[in-house]
Amino acid sequence: MPVLTAAMVPLLVTKGRSARRDDAVPARFKPGDQIVAKVMSPLTHTRLPRYVRGRRGVIERDHGVFVFPDTNALFAGPHPQHVYNVRFSARELWGPEGAATDAIYIDLWDSYLDRA
């Protein structure tokens, strides 16, 4: 795989490829499943926000299979996996100060999640 150069950026922005994959990767979760976001502190970049680590949420939607950016950015392979939309209640994240009716929704890769 070639290294991305500045000259390549305009072409990728206008004609870039999707990170979606057709790989037959089984889904571990389905809408309604309760999960807990993993507690992890990798030395490299991750797209798992610190404020949801260790917190419980509910799978809202399965977006399908996508390249895992944490490994792909390091040239360690695409490791395709499902990306789920996860609902976290405001009270789960911020305690009683969070409004009872508020929630945030975050798209998270399968390997960031465990069954609650």
Side-chain angles (χ1 to χ4, degrees):
M1 172 178 249
V3 174
L4 180 66
T5 65
M8 297 166 71
V9 172
L11 180 62
L12 286 174
V13 169
T14 58
K15 303 202 189 267
R17 299 182 326 195
S18 172
R20 181 181 292 274
R21 294 293 179 254
D22 292 327
D23 300 44
V25 176
R28 287 197 311 143
F29 305 105
K30 64 182 183 313
D33 284 352
Q34 295 187 19
I35 60 85
V36 61
K38 289 183 178 179
V39 176
M40 54 190 254
S41 297
L43 295 176
T44 58
H45 174 76
T46 182
R47 294 186 183 196
L48 177 61
R50 286 192 187 278
Y51 63 89
V52 301
R53 295 177 193 178
R55 304 301 182 158
R56 294 175 177 269
V58 177
I59 301 290
E60 291 291 318
R61 179 178 178 197
D62 181 347
H63 289 297
V65 177
F66 291 81
V67 168
F68 185 48
D70 295 31
T71 57
N72 198 53
L74 299 173
F75 302 106
H79 297 277
Q81 54 186 272
H82 284 259
V83 174
Y84 303 97
N85 183 255
V86 183
R87 179 186 186 274
F88 292 92
S89 73
R91 290 211 168 146
E92 173 67 16
L93 299 177
W94 297 291
E97 294 82 21
T101 57
D102 289 353
I104 64 166
Y105 296 79
I106 303 176
D107 292 335
L108 297 173
W109 274 260
D110 189 299
S111 62
Y112 295 158
L113 308 173
D114 284 323
R115 204 165 288 284

